[in-house]
Amino acid sequence: MSNFAELNYEGKLYQLPVIEGSEGEKAIDISKLRSTSGLITIDKGFKNTGSTESAITFLDGEKGVLRHRGYSIEELADKSSFIEVAYLVIYGELPTEEQLKDFQLEITHHTLVHEDVKAILEGFPSKAHPMGVISSLVSSLTAFYPKSLDPNRSSEEVNGTIIRIIAKLPTLAAWAFKNRMRQPLVYPNNNLDYCSNFLRMMFGLPTEDYHVDPVVSKALDKLLILHVDHEQNCSASTVRIVGSSHASLYASISAGIAALWGPLHGGANQAVIEMLEAIKADGGDVSKYITKAKDKSDPFRLMGFGHRVYKNFDPRARIIKKAADDVLGALGVNDPILDIAKELEGVALKDQYFIDRGLYPNVDFYSGIIYRALGIPTDMFTVMFALGRLPGWVAQWKEMREYGDPIGRPRQVYTGHNDRPYVPINER
Ligand code: SDX
């Protein structure tokens, strides 16, 4: 097996090193390509381009494999907890009982946010999309924790910055919802676990006790595990490239939230429900929408279907689909759009267009159906994705800093005008 590739260009032969990862993935290292051959590469959307080496998450898109630090998503979703998986992706190993207890305790004692955050929150109209609100509020944390601005501080101080964002995002997310509903804010309760605390801040009222249904908090915990990280996806790459300029963790996470918002990425979970609702309102004829999805002249896409890496089933979608049946059954919820989703999936998976392109349901196809059953409003679905993905973003940012990756600054191929003289305005 050769550890280099050869490029034959204009009669010259260039040898480019090939590196191999721990799962046998191979990549041509082109870091010296321009200095030796004068060539750069171009790969719109980075479909064939690796941006870094990483030890956090491994995906095999052809086999539908997803592992975090070597542990399969199936095992983690079945046997672990969100906080434990957050610890795993951020620090690299499953915590001991002592380490997990300390981690949970630190998070519990940082869930409160500065009272002045309320003034920023109240500046948002009730119609403000919660993703825009939390992206702004996360960025505002740099004002309340100015030491977080410097990512080169001691590892203890950087870890304190990490703990604060893991602890405070649920509070900021729940308060964004309360602001949307123009309801009074509910403060964190340190006697509750991560998910129960969030649900109480979302649906509780300051004037009364709120009982968190264990079925709901357990389902939410599993959903957050399933979203925790996904290697160099659009938002993780955004967090990395912002962090590569030595911008703060909070600024990098705020940018990651903005990237996740798009309907082609995390915003798809909201778009899926809106699509299923539209199909239901239009009489439930799924084949009409399959035809639309295949029609190149029609901008309609089957939201929640397709993936840049998975050309087989997204393993998370398989777990969420089963969880949807379990949770709706346990809550006694009968949601007709779950039936429409299953019918849509069934028709698409037999259709040559989808088969030829390896288009399967992705993580966003069924997740919204569970969020709905949990009482979470549609425009909060992507906020839930952000809550789950936060430990992954933190882990990617931390790894990028620890690896000492250089500032991200891609090249380009210029296609504009060649050199030309300035023309005075009266001669144009
Ligand atoms: C997430 O990267 C990650 O890991 C993301 C994520 C994570 O955990 O971080 O997994 C989360 O973002 C999941 C994806 C959520 N987005 C959606 O569900 C939106 C609908 N899906 C697509 O828009 C699309 O599939 C993408 C954006 C997910 C992937 O797009 P690609 O890899 O750029 O593929 P493409 O757009 O070039 O599509 C390839 C072909 C095209 O047809 P041809 O030009 O070959 O004829 O497949 C077609 C596309 O038209 N196609 C679809 C389709 N998705 C792709 N056709 C109809 N419906 C779709 N959903």
Side-chain angles (χ1 to χ4, degrees):
M1 173 191 69
S2 73
N3 56 5
F4 62 85
E6 287 187 341
L7 172 68
N8 190 331
Y9 178 65
E10 292 185 340
K12 275 189 83 177
L13 206 58
Y14 303 92
Q15 286 202 334
L16 301 165
V18 171
I19 63 166
E20 181 169 351
S22 55
E23 287 285 346
E25 296 165 306
K26 295 182 182 63
I28 301 173
D29 179 344
I30 57 168
S31 47
K32 300 276 186 299
L33 180 67
R34 189 170 185 278
S35 58
T36 52
S37 71
L39 292 166
I40 65 166
T41 60
I42 191 157
D43 181 21
K44 291 180 183 169
F46 312 114
K47 295 191 175 188
N48 307 281
T49 299
S51 59
T52 186
E53 293 168 282
S54 177
I56 301 167
T57 291
F58 171 69
L59 301 186
D60 182 324
E62 284 65 34
K63 296 186 186 128
V65 170
L66 167 56
R67 296 192 204 113
H68 296 305
R69 302 285 188 185
Y71 298 98
S72 76
I73 192 61
E74 291 83 3
E75 279 220 274
L76 292 172
D78 191 32
K79 299 173 182 170
S80 188
S81 69
F82 175 60
I83 288 297
E84 182 175 81
V85 177
Y87 185 101
L88 170 68
V89 295
I90 294 172
Y91 302 109
E93 295 294 340
L94 285 171
T96 62
E97 205 162 343
E98 194 62 28
Q99 288 168 329
L100 182 61
K101 208 159 65 181
D102 291 346
F103 187 55
Q104 271 172 316
L105 211 56
E106 280 197 285
I107 288 169
T108 301
H109 290 99
H110 284 89
T111 50
L112 207 51
V113 295
H114 195 290
E115 276 294 287
D116 290 356
V117 165
K118 288 163 57 175
I120 303 168
L121 182 67
E122 283 153 15
F124 284 98
S126 61
K127 288 275 173 285
H129 194 292
M131 284 296 276
V133 175
I134 64 167
S135 179
S136 307
L137 294 182
V138 165
S139 185
S140 80
L141 292 178
T142 52
F144 300 103
Y145 302 99
K147 285 185 183 168
S148 70
L149 284 170
D150 178 3
N152 301 306
R153 298 185 78 93
S154 72
S155 54
E156 291 72 25
E157 289 176 295
V158 169
N159 196 58
T161 298
I162 289 172
I163 293 291
R164 281 191 192 91
I165 187 68
I166 301 284
K168 296 179 192 306
L169 190 59
T171 308
L172 298 176
W175 284 15
F177 173 63
K178 287 298 193 190
N179 183 61
R180 178 138 175 53
M181 305 302 287
R182 284 292 184 257
Q183 286 178 358
L185 303 179
V186 175
Y187 282 69
N189 175 336
N190 290 346
N191 301 317
L192 298 174
D193 64 61
Y194 195 86
C195 288
S196 303
N197 201 12
F198 170 72
L199 290 164
R200 180 179 163 277
M201 290 190 284
M202 275 281 285
F203 300 118
L205 289 173
T207 50
E208 60 189 42
D209 279 346
Y210 178 77
H211 167 68
V212 178
D213 182 337
V215 171
V216 173
S217 60
K218 191 164 170 19
L220 179 57
D221 195 83
K222 178 175 277 197
L223 279 168
L224 294 182
I225 291 174
L226 292 166
H227 287 81
V228 82
D229 188 56
H230 216 236
E231 60 152 70
Q232 304 312 312
N233 58 84
C234 176
S235 53
S237 300
T238 302
V239 169
R240 276 181 174 258
I241 205 158
V242 170
S244 72
S245 74
H246 290 198
S248 73
L249 174 63
Y250 298 156
S252 307
I253 298 295
S254 174
I257 292 170
L260 185 74
W261 194 354
L264 293 188
H265 190 14
N269 57 16
Q270 172 176 343
V272 166
I273 295 298
E274 290 163 351
M275 171 186 75
L276 294 172
E277 287 284 15
I279 294 172
K280 177 167 165 273
D282 188 23
D285 176 8
V286 297
S287 52
K288 173 180 169 186
Y289 286 83
I290 293 284
T291 306
K292 280 170 64 70
K294 291 156 51 177
D295 177 358
K296 291 301 171 201
S297 64
D298 189 325
F300 176 79
R301 278 204 159 183
L302 213 49
M303 300 313 278
F305 253 75
H307 199 276
R308 173 62 56 77
V309 175
Y310 291 122
K311 298 309 171 192
N312 193 321
F313 232 92
D314 180 333
R316 302 166 297 176
R318 206 193 299 274
I319 298 169
I320 293 175
K321 180 181 177 183
K322 181 175 178 315
D325 284 327
D326 297 347
V327 172
L328 271 66
L331 295 174
V333 170
N334 175 23
D335 189 344
I337 65 163
L338 175 57
D339 301 328
I340 293 176
K342 287 180 177 176
E343 190 188 344
L344 199 57
E345 176 194 351
V347 173
L349 295 188
K350 293 191 190 81
D351 186 293
Q352 211 51 47
Y353 172 94
F354 292 86
I355 295 168
D356 293 346
R357 292 165 179 78
L359 302 178
Y360 289 82
N362 59 48
V363 67
D364 293 312
F365 190 62
Y366 286 105
S367 54
I369 290 166
I370 301 181
Y371 290 139
R372 220 159 98 115
L374 303 184
I376 292 167
T378 308
D379 67 3
M380 282 289 290
F381 289 0
T382 312
V383 171
M384 304 312 296
F385 194 142
L387 271 183
R389 184 51 54 87
L390 178 64
W393 286 333
V394 167
Q396 298 284 346
W397 181 89
K398 183 169 176 283
E399 183 178 72
M400 178 268 305
R401 303 279 309 118
E402 287 164 354
Y403 283 13
D405 285 3
I407 185 169
R409 199 270 182 228
R411 292 271 181 167
Q412 64 161 29
V413 171
Y414 176 71
T415 56
H417 287 284
N418 300 113
D419 186 21
R420 54 180 175 163
Y422 179 79
V423 179
I425 192 160
N426 59 356
E427 295 173 20
R428 290 176 202 162

